[in-house]
């Protein structure tokens, strides 16, 4: 899904000094504040403990976290992290999203078309090499040299397709680490509950608490066609978490902006978030109505609707945080304080004072190109799986002929297995949904750039958005994986000769898309990187280095306790819910309708079983599927959400209200055992 | 349409001194700057000229302008101002929106179910009475006393249903005038072109120029079942407007905020406009998809979609203006300058300095109640014609028993003919569209207030939004006008006894809606009125009184010339388009598809005929349908839009780019004559 949307992370930097005593921090595994933890909680994880947890944690490359919970490669993550797989494995006849999925035996486990899992096996600090490669360079040249060196390091590291090597930027350029992952592309679905209980309460309850969701799925990593044997895994918690218990979360927070300059945040607040919301709300309206047209239309659009609705709620939360004047005021003050410290020291001033104005200028250069960049290069004007595939084929065929370090980053050697997996994915593509998405996207392209824009005229010609979308779909053979394979194998020549209308369109648009990309990288991205790196260094100089870097979808460890909170209106929210609460909340109408399996099993269930749990761990989007780990290093639950206040965590952590939300280990066992009859999984989890 | 949305105008005050020399100003007919006009353009309209234009101008009570263009009550306005009437007169068999409408003879003219036309016959200054009634009162009491006195004055004036009397607030309380209108409720459709040419270019071209739209309709006012005889009307222009020609616009600009305190504008920018846009975009998505489901669904949802899309574009323009930092900066500076002048004079300071903080406090009091107010009292959570009717029945039956001056303003005696017309409108109401709108609105109610909110629980109970909407629709008999009539005639007793589910719901919600309304009026509206009046007075004290009041949907006169402009990117836009341009812009696909009538008539047409025209008159929403008048007092065209830059005109007028857009008189005659064979109308217009 959304192959065409290459999401670009916004630059972020460092934590707030003011929150230093809170349970704040998305800590690096190779720089964990064990001493601080000991002082506060009397528990000091050693490196062995940390290494074990790191190796038991995994990343779903599309944007989630997970954990290995058995020696046979059983992976626990969220239902919503495997939702697209579950949908892709379904058909009009058998809808696993609605009915749930349980592989009775290992042989019944089914391969997910597009899930790639990464296990972080090694971290190497490569800061010196990157710094040496970019020394004395400015903006565009700085950016190119840095990307080139990163691709070079990654290529040296990735000696086989089973290794994924990413050079990651930490502390916004304060450090660069090489993350070496074991890559699993054979990932199979083991268990998923019904969507109705995975996402009980639906969009209305999303980002809220109390909750009653069994948002879990179990996958399994395979090697050589067999379950992968793993020495590192999290044993199941012998005791469930209680209020006040220490709770670690090991996972991959996607991105935070805790010291991003306010000029960048203003763009986020005034332009990026509002536009994204407008786009998403319209698409949500279309999909809602589309799904009412038939059960099959509902089925094929459900995963996309979920994705869109989730994005809306997350963005609204972030936008509301940025629009909150006192909150934004603290961000401004924080920046002013740092700038004042820099200005007060002539040496620091000479080195760093220019960074903030330079960022503001880069943001101003971005403003007039933002819409076009978003619609053409990021792909929001061409919301279609087939267009996404066509574009990957066009780009890959061109990029592959260049030296690795000169390529667009997403086509560097180390990323190719993922790209090829997506191109050759057997996941079903539905004409009606494609037509709907693409017609919408093309009409937004025209709306945002205007009907007289040269690009819009080139794309639409005399056709309406829907006519064009219909013609492309009618003429294209790209739904056939064999056709894609032939183009992939045929390389630049085959792609150049293709008359497939999606390939033709992607090919025709590519020169201007690339030109825009280059302009963006040279005039915006490069200066932003360079100057945010300076700001990171200024922050080190002012406040020292004993802190954590902003989230970058790399593995982090956070700690906290099981803890409720008090709302602004005075309501006290307790940190644990139970099964009885789910039955009490049921109305019988979606999204507050429990699945039949639950209703039938009610009498057998211990209704006092803890269901969902809130902790004050510092998490954010990307942490979905992360294990909650107790002090014994055992799996005590799985994170699936944060409360509404956690969305402001993008910009700053407020321990009084920011909460992570997960499924409690006891709920998982009780449901697997008594509702789903998944004895095989229960035994595997319990190590029997 | 949208009976349930009682749109509330945001308070506005005065014009910018800095634009004093521009063609700025929505001038009062009883305070027109004739001398200034003479100095600039050598033409000085006298009072007779002005009175004649005033009496030839009309208002469509739903929110448009128009002009009388024959002695037999022929009224010219926009197609989009009569769109809902044209749709209401259509059926699945005969779609006048698509095909256009032409009454061959007077006898073929058909009554519009909901159009009321007002002709302004007298203006009386009643400032002294209002001031005396509110003297020494604060906030809630001030507000109640003012409303009571207004209703009293209106009742004294409105001696028959044929008179509509409104006390209007000008200069934000600097003055109060009684506007006495002749009221026409028998309004018939004479001519409308096809939607495809009325709105050629559709949403993409909306608020843009160059344009090629024949956005016109002709109506006729009737008295005693016969065409109304009128001594005042605009004769047709003997010569068409050319670049540089003086052009007046007489019409009813809906509202501007040119000296609204920035604290109120910040609420607009950060909360009101973004929320409205989110609501509208989602509804647009739903309606777009709904319309694809069948031609009939398209037909019945078309007018609402147009309304929603138009609102989106207008709000986006206003939001972009407020988000433009330099532009907003000028508004802040303007406010600071006025406050500095006030602070510098001890007497002024004592009188007025507290007004700005008081406004900011009222805005802060509004924030926590805004969503609930919008969804419950304004009705955004119950987007349904039937609910709107039910609510009017419930409220009217209660209000009618109170003394006139104690009632909610919209149920004062002078407003009752309009309310009754809406309740008893025979306009068709379509179940499928009602279900779609209401399901959506209820789901938004739940989204914005949360599923655990007491009101949401009361409304939805255990039902989903769609289940509830379906149940209400299934059980209601309100589609039958006779049922409504019985409830209207039966009064409070009949309404209390009704088991119609919409009436029951409206009745159950009314107490809390009223409580909220009262809280809003007492704690927000009252203080805002009171303090904005103080700010208006401070402005008079600082800059004098020779200016125009902010727009309030009352009749105004603006002047300017036929004039193009230069875009930011350097493109020069000429002020006139021609028929040839329309054919050149045609793609054959909606919304760039000309109707068959045009294609067939092409050979007969003079393609050099001027089509649309841009002027620098200062207009805004509500001016739609206003006549463009030349210096001879003749009808030279009809305003139907402004360019995108005109949307910032809500907050300030920038003569360099702000343009009004209309249909040229020559286009109207050429099309009526050669395309539509509407000889009867051409002759009536030309006075033959």
């Amino acid at each position: 899904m959304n192959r065409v949307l290459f999401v670009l992370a916004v630059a972020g930097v460092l934590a707030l000094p003011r929150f230093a005593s809170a349970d704040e921090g998305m800590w690096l595994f190779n720089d964990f504040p064990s001493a601080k933890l000991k002082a506060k909680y009397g528990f000091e994880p050693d490196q062995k403990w940390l290494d074990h947890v790191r190796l038991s944690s995994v990343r779903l490359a599309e944007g989630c976290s997970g954990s290995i919970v058995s020696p046979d490669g059983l992976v626990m993550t969220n239902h919503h992290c495997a939702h697209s797989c579950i949908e892709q494995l379904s058909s009009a006849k058998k809808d696993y999203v609605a009915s749930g999925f349980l592989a009775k035996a290992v042989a019944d486990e089914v391969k997910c078309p597009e899930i790639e899992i990464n296990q972080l096996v090694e971290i190497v600090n490569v800061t010196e090499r990157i710094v040496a490669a970019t020394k004395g360079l400015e903006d565009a040249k700085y950016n190119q040299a840095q990307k080139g060196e990163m691709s070079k390091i990654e290529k040296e590291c990735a000696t086989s397709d089973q290794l994924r090597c990413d050079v990651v930027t930490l502390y916004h350029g304060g450090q660069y680490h090489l993350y070496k992952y074991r890559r699993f592309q054979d990932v199979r679905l083991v268990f998923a509950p019904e969507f109705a209980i995975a996402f009980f309460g639906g969009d209305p309850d999303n980002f809220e608490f109390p909750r009653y969701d069994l948002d879990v799925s179990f996958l399994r990593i395979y090697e050589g066609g067999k379950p992968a044997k793993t020495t590192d895994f999290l044993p199941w918690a012998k005791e469930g978490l209680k209020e006040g218990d220490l709770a670690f979360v090991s996972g991959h927070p996607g991105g935070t902006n805790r010291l991003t300059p306010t000029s960048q945040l203003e763009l986020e607040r005034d332009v990026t978030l509002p536009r994204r919301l407008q786009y998403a709300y319209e698409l949500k309206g279309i999909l809602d109505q589309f799904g009412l047209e038939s059960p099959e239309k509902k089925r094929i659009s459900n995963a996309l609707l979920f994705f869109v609705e989730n994005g809306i709620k997350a963005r609204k939360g972030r936008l509301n945080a940025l629009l909150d004047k006192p909150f934004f005021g603290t961000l401004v003050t924080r920046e002013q304080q740092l700038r004042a410290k820099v200005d007060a020291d002539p040496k620091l001033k000479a080195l760093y004072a220019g960074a903030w104005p330079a960022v503001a200028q880069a943001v101003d250069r971005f403003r007039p190109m933002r819409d076009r960049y978003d619609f053409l290069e990021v792909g929001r004007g061409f919301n279609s799986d087939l267009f996404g595939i066509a574009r990957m084929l066009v780009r890959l065929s061109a990029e592959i002929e260049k030296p690795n370090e000169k390529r667009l980053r997403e086509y560097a050697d180390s990323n190719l297995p993922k790209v090829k997996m997506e191109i050759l994915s057997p996941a079903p593509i539905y004409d009606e949904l494609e037509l709907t998405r693409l017609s919408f996207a093309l009409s937004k392209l025209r709306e945002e750039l205007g009907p007289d824009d040269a690009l819009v005229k080139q794309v639409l010609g005399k056709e309406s958005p829907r006519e064009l979308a219909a013609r492309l779909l009618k003429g294209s053979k790209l739904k056939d994986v064999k056709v894609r394979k032939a183009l992939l194998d045929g390389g630049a020549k085959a792609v150049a000769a293709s008359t497939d209308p999606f390939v033709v369109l992607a090919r025709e648009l590519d020169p201007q898309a690339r030109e825009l990309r280059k302009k963006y990288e040279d005039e915006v991205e490069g200066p932003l990187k360079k100057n945010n790196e300076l700001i990171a260094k200024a922050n080190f100089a002012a406040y020292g280095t004993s802190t954590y870097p902003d989230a970058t979808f790399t593995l982090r460890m956070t700690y906290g306790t099981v803890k409720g909170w008090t709302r602004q209106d005075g309501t006290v929210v307790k940190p644990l819910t139970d099964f009885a609460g789910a039955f009490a909340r049921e109305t019988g109408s979606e999204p507050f309708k429990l699945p039949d399996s639950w209703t039938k099993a009610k009498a057998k269930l211990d209704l006092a079983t803890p269901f969902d749990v809130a902790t004050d761990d510092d998490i954010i989007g990307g942490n979905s599927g992360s294990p909650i780990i107790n002090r014994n290093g055992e799996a005590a639950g799985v994170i699936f959400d944060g409360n509404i206040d956690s969305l402001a965590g993008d910009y700053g952590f407020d321990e009084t209200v920011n909460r992570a939300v997960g499924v409690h280990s006891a709920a998982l066992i009780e449901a697997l055992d008594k509702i789903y009859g998944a004895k095989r999984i229960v035994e595997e989890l319990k190590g029997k």
Side-chain angles (χ1 to χ4, degrees), chain A:
Chain A
M1 188 201 317
N2 286 292
R3 292 185 180 95
V4 80
L5 299 180
F6 310 112
V7 180
L8 294 152
V10 171
V13 192
L14 285 174
L16 301 176
R18 71 182 167 116
F19 292 137
S21 71
D23 286 348
E24 171 184 341
M26 300 171 174
W27 300 96
L28 296 171
F29 271 78
N30 50 346
D31 193 16
F32 190 76
S34 293
K36 202 173 149 192
L37 194 69
K38 188 181 181 187
K40 189 165 178 186
Y41 293 111
F43 174 66
E44 187 174 15
D46 58 16
Q47 198 57 45
K48 199 182 144 200
W49 191 97
L50 289 167
D51 287 347
H52 173 66
V53 168
R54 167 173 57 81
L55 287 163
S56 304
S57 304
V58 296
R59 184 172 84 163
L60 279 70
E62 279 289 306
C64 271
S65 301
S67 57
I68 305 175
V69 286
S70 91
D72 294 309
L74 190 67
V75 168
M76 176 169 69
T77 184
N78 292 144
H79 184 283
H80 76 262
C81 294
H83 191 161
S84 60
C85 164
I86 302 166
E87 193 228 63
Q88 286 160 0
L89 297 179
S90 299
S91 66
K93 280 187 192 162
K94 191 67 202 168
D95 182 0
Y96 296 120
V97 177
S99 67
F101 177 90
L102 171 63
K104 293 237 169 78
V106 172
D108 300 320
E109 296 172 2
V110 194
K111 187 172 185 305
C112 286
E114 293 178 2
I115 291 188
E116 172 180 310
I117 281 183
N118 307 140
Q119 177 195 30
L120 180 59
V121 291
E122 195 184 353
I123 304 174
V124 184
N125 191 329
V126 294
T127 310
E128 282 182 24
R129 275 188 68 173
I130 301 288
V131 169
T134 55
K135 191 156 191 170
L137 299 179
E138 284 295 329
D139 298 353
K141 289 200 168 158
Y142 171 96
N143 201 12
Q144 287 153 17
Q146 187 190 87
K147 288 183 183 189
E149 187 66 15
M150 285 178 167
S151 295
K152 206 171 149 194
I153 294 171
E154 288 165 359
K155 186 166 186 177
E156 288 165 16
C157 160
T159 50
S160 86
D161 276 1
Q162 279 69 53
L163 281 178
R164 173 172 179 152
C165 297
D166 296 345
V167 174
V168 301
T169 303
L170 297 170
Y171 301 101
H172 226 314
Q175 290 193 37
Y176 299 89
H177 291 183
L178 172 64
Y179 274 51
K180 194 167 171 180
Y181 299 98
R182 201 165 147 200
R183 182 201 301 268
F184 297 93
Q185 289 195 316
D186 185 352
V187 177
R188 305 196 189 173
L189 184 62
V190 178
F191 169 79
E194 305 91 337
F195 182 70
I197 188 63
F199 197 44
F200 183 72
D203 187 57
D205 272 2
N206 198 10
F207 294 107
E208 306 288 345
F209 196 83
R211 283 287 274 290
Y212 311 89
D213 287 4
L214 196 79
D215 193 352
V216 72
S217 66
F218 288 95
L219 307 171
R220 195 184 303 280
I221 46 177
Y222 277 68
E223 260 186 336
K226 289 184 180 161
K229 295 288 172 189
T230 46
T231 48
D232 288 289
F233 66 93
L234 301 178
W236 201 253
K238 282 177 259 323
E239 278 187 51
L241 289 171
K242 298 181 303 297
E243 184 161 2
D245 281 357
L246 191 56
F248 297 89
V249 172
S250 164
H252 299 79
T256 51
N257 293 281
R258 293 189 182 170
L259 208 68
T260 297
T262 51
S263 57
Q264 274 180 269
L265 295 183
E266 282 177 357
L267 184 76
E268 209 47 17
R269 181 192 67 194
D270 296 344
V271 183
T272 309
L273 288 170
R275 300 277 170 93
R276 290 272 163 85
L277 279 167
Q278 290 165 9
Y279 185 98
Y281 265 114
E282 187 172 346
L283 183 54
K284 168 175 158 48
I286 289 171
L287 293 173
D288 271 331
Q289 189 65 26
F290 180 86
L292 287 168
E293 290 165 11
S294 76
E296 177 62 359
K297 281 184 164 180
K298 174 93 189 142
R299 186 186 73 77
I300 65 175
S301 60
N302 201 36
L304 180 59
L305 177 62
F306 171 84
F307 176 83
V308 170
E309 286 187 336
N310 191 58
I312 285 174
K313 218 157 176 185
R315 290 199 175 91
K316 265 177 91 172
R318 285 160 55 200
L319 181 57
N320 287 343
L322 292 177
L323 284 172
D324 185 87
K325 278 176 120 180
F327 182 80
F328 198 78
T330 64
L331 306 182
V332 171
T333 305
R334 190 173 66 183
E335 179 170 295
Q336 284 168 343
Q337 283 168 349
L338 179 55
R339 291 183 74 172
K341 272 181 184 268
V342 165
D343 286 345
D345 179 330
K347 206 178 139 198
L348 294 183
K349 188 174 179 180
L351 285 169
Y352 306 127
W356 287 273
V359 166
Q361 283 160 19
V363 168
D364 283 342
R365 279 193 297 272
F366 187 45
R367 281 180 193 269
M369 67 171 103
R370 200 211 78 93
D371 282 350
R372 190 169 303 273
Y373 184 77
D374 204 32
F375 276 82
L376 176 58
E377 174 60 19
V378 182
R380 219 165 295 278
F382 304 89
N383 192 332
S384 142
D385 281 343
L386 292 177
F387 181 83
I389 289 167
R391 174 143 129 174
M392 280 192 277
L393 284 166
V394 168
R395 288 222 160 150
L396 177 60
S397 69
E399 293 298 302
I400 201 85
E401 306 205 339
K402 300 178 190 169
N404 185 48
E405 66 276 9
K406 298 274 183 196
R407 290 184 206 155
L408 296 173
R409 283 279 287 155
E410 66 270 24
Y411 295 97
D413 280 331
S414 61
N415 291 321
L416 292 187
K418 186 87 181 66
V419 171
K420 288 180 182 167
M421 184 188 200
E422 290 186 15
I423 291 174
L424 301 179
S425 164
I429 291 172
Y430 300 100
D431 282 342
E432 281 182 305
L433 185 60
E434 283 280 291
L435 176 64
T436 300
R437 289 165 66 183
L438 185 54
S439 305
F440 159 72
L442 291 168
S443 76
K444 287 305 270 190
L445 176 79
R446 184 175 67 186
E447 177 186 337
E448 296 298 343
L449 304 187
D452 292 321
D453 179 83
L455 169 68
V456 173
K457 283 185 165 172
Q458 181 192 342
V459 170
L460 288 178
K462 297 236 165 195
E463 289 173 301
S464 73
R466 202 169 177 85
E467 287 166 351
L468 171 59
R471 182 173 58 76
L472 293 172
L473 282 161
K474 197 170 170 217
S476 177
K477 301 259 183 303
L478 287 187
K479 269 171 73 179
D480 185 344
V481 178
K482 288 197 296 290
V483 172
R484 297 180 216 160
K485 179 96 174 50
L487 286 165
L488 182 66
D489 294 344
K493 216 168 158 181
V495 169
S498 172
T499 57
D500 189 280
F502 276 114
V503 176
V504 171
L505 180 64
R507 214 168 50 207
E508 282 174 359
L509 296 178
D510 208 42
Q512 13 183 342
R514 283 175 178 272
E515 195 185 324
L516 203 55
R517 169 84 170 254
K518 183 160 168 28
K519 194 171 154 76
Y520 168 78
E521 290 188 350
D522 291 355
E523 297 175 18
V524 181
E525 190 190 51
L528 285 181
K529 272 191 192 171
K530 171 95 188 175
N531 290 288
N532 271 305
E533 182 177 330
L534 292 177
I535 292 170
K537 286 179 178 160
N539 204 67
F540 282 145
Y543 301 114
T545 56
S546 63
T547 183
Y548 63 93
D550 248 316
T552 51
F553 199 40
T554 48
L555 190 63
R556 304 296 174 86
M557 179 74 124
T558 164
Y559 61 88
T561 61
V562 175
K563 202 184 212 170
W565 77 101
T566 305
R567 289 191 215 276
Q568 271 199 326
D569 65 7
T571 321
V572 174
V573 185
K574 295 200 168 177
L576 288 160
T577 64
D578 60 22
F579 276 25
F583 286 99
R585 194 166 181 73
E586 185 178 28
T587 67
S589 289
E590 280 184 7
F592 296 99
K593 185 170 164 40
L594 289 169
D596 289 346
S597 62
W598 281 63
T599 313
K600 278 185 202 156
K602 188 176 177 187
K604 286 187 286 182
L605 295 173
D606 176 359
L607 295 179
T609 305
F611 202 152
D612 289 346
V613 55
T615 77
D616 70 347
D617 285 88
D618 184 3
I619 61 149
I620 205 139
N623 267 114
S624 281
S626 300
I628 307 177
I629 301 169
N630 62 22
R631 66 168 75 202
N632 301 324
E634 297 166 336
V638 57
I639 291 291
F640 69 91
D641 207 356
N643 67 352
I644 203 89
D645 304 283
S646 75
L647 293 164
D650 196 346
Y651 313 107
F653 182 82
D654 182 352
E655 194 185 39
T656 62
V657 292
N658 188 327
R659 292 295 175 271
V661 173
V663 188
H664 193 276
S665 59
L668 293 166
I669 295 297
E670 183 79 358
L672 284 169
D673 186 16
K674 297 193 189 159
I675 298 172
Y676 298 104
K679 209 173 171 186
R680 174 170 89 87
I681 304 171
V682 172
E683 287 178 353
E684 187 171 351
L685 290 173
K686 292 194 169 176
K688 284 175 186 165

